[in-house]
Amino acid sequence: MDVKFREFNQFDVWIWLRFSTIPSMVERQYIEEVLNSWFLLGKLGGFNAEKMQVQEVGVDLNYMTYENDRNHDAMMALMHNMGEVEYEGLWARCWFDLGTSDALALDVLINSLEQLSEDYVTIEELIIGGQNKDWPVSNNRHDPDFANDHIS
């Protein structure tokens, strides 16, 4: 899977996927589950680099002291909104407002999609940001009908 970044706005970003073949209904479900799950974790603040105590410790987690109070002082890092996943031929796209979530969210998404591509549906290309000239995007993303806010 080739990963590319285009112009990037954290609060207004399109995620584009190009497949080797037109995805079947089952393959579409896999893609949508990954994106929905990723968004749900982001909406719940899961991508907050300031709260990564376990990662900071390293390999040996035996009897690690977890500082519960440290997390209360951290700034919130929440994703705000997600659009519907759309398909056209070999392409899929989905719009996100990543809010204040940290960049590690994108690493998690890339890692997840790479494994999905290996095991279930071949993704030739993942493009983060920008637009495709042959598939224009609507400027109505902030319309309530466009948004798919999964958690209230």
Side-chain angles (χ1 to χ4, degrees), residues 34-147:
V34 168
L35 294 174
N36 286 329
S37 298
W38 178 67
F39 174 71
L40 176 62
L41 290 173
K43 184 87 171 167
L44 295 172
F47 305 117
N48 189 337
E50 207 175 335
K51 294 183 176 184
M52 296 190 68
Q53 295 182 51
V54 177
Q55 177 66 28
E56 290 172 3
V57 168
V59 178
D60 185 6
L61 301 178
N62 292 308
Y63 304 102
M64 175 192 158
T65 301
Y66 195 86
E67 299 173 33
N68 295 307
D69 292 337
R70 177 176 153 190
N71 287 345
H72 295 290
D73 297 334
M75 192 171 118
M76 289 193 322
L78 308 174
M79 285 188 188
H80 294 169
N81 215 335
M82 173 185 179
E84 294 289 334
V85 181
E86 303 171 42
Y87 299 90
E88 186 170 296
L90 297 175
W91 286 93
R93 69 182 183 190
C94 191
W95 173 84
F96 292 90
D97 176 347
L98 301 180
T100 56
S101 62
D102 290 320
L104 78 102
L106 294 171
D107 282 320
V108 170
L109 178 64
I110 292 166
N111 292 341
S112 301
L113 290 173
E114 282 179 336
Q115 194 62 47
L116 182 73
S117 181
E118 290 288 321
D119 294 342
Y120 297 102
V121 54
T122 303
I123 302 169
E124 296 290 334
E125 189 173 28
L126 166 64
I127 302 173
I128 299 169
Q131 297 187 24
N132 283 355
K133 293 176 186 164
D134 54 350
W135 191 10
V137 297
S138 167
N139 289 329
N140 297 329
R141 288 183 301 282
H142 304 292
D143 182 310
D145 290 335
F146 180 84

